[in-house]
Amino acid sequence: MVDLNARMERVIEEMTGNEALLQMLDTDAATEMLNWGIATAKSIIGKTRALDDFASDLAILPRLKAIRQSMRSIGNWAAGKYTDSASRVQLRDRLLGNFRTIFGERRELPSARQLDELLSKVDDNSMTPHQLILKLQDLLEQRG
């Protein structure tokens, strides 16, 4: 019998135990990112109910890796790491690739232009890292 709770607990422990994912953020922003990562992972794991552990791992491991990579990249962005246009284009492309892996081919994602507009908001210092993360989540939810 498949134990989804054990799968979810394992993933949550991995995310919460990996300080490098969120160490660049203040508590509110880190909590928001962690909550997003856990909720997204739970959604993915919930779809593996009919699979045995081996098949489930094959299906979800690339997606979970993309979640962790996205969390790290988004955290670094919100903390002000991607300041030049070249690194921001690389970040955008990496995030769009990760989002495609996480959410699948059928999910509509933000356009490159929409993501560029949001990613550039870190420059004006009018938003906290927590607010930037919330804006990115809103952008993703509009497309979901």
Side-chain angles (χ1 to χ4, degrees), residues 49-105:
R49 190 175 314 279
L51 302 176
D52 64 35
D53 285 338
F54 181 75
S56 173
D57 283 349
L58 287 177
I60 66 173
L61 288 179
R63 296 171 80 187
L64 296 175
K65 180 179 178 183
I67 291 170
R68 290 188 306 273
Q69 289 173 338
S70 295
M71 289 171 64
R72 186 174 295 112
S73 294
I74 293 166
N76 282 323
W77 160 72
K81 183 175 179 185
Y82 298 94
T83 56
D84 64 281
S85 60
S87 66
R88 203 163 290 148
V89 167
Q90 290 176 340
L91 171 63
R92 177 202 65 205
D93 293 343
R94 185 174 334 121
L95 287 175
L96 286 173
N98 283 341
F99 295 155
R100 179 63 52 225
T101 299
I102 295 166
F103 299 114
E105 294 297 323

Side-chain angles (χ1 to χ4, degrees), residues 11-12 15 21-22 30-45 63-64 67-68 71 102 137:
V11 169
I12 291 169
M15 284 184 185
L21 284 179
L22 304 169
T31 300
E32 194 65 46
M33 277 303 309
L34 185 60
N35 289 341
W36 174 82
I38 289 171
T40 304
K42 282 182 175 181
S43 173
I44 290 167
I45 292 167
R63 296 171 80 187
L64 296 175
I67 291 170
R68 290 188 306 273
M71 289 171 64
I102 295 166
Q137 289 174 350

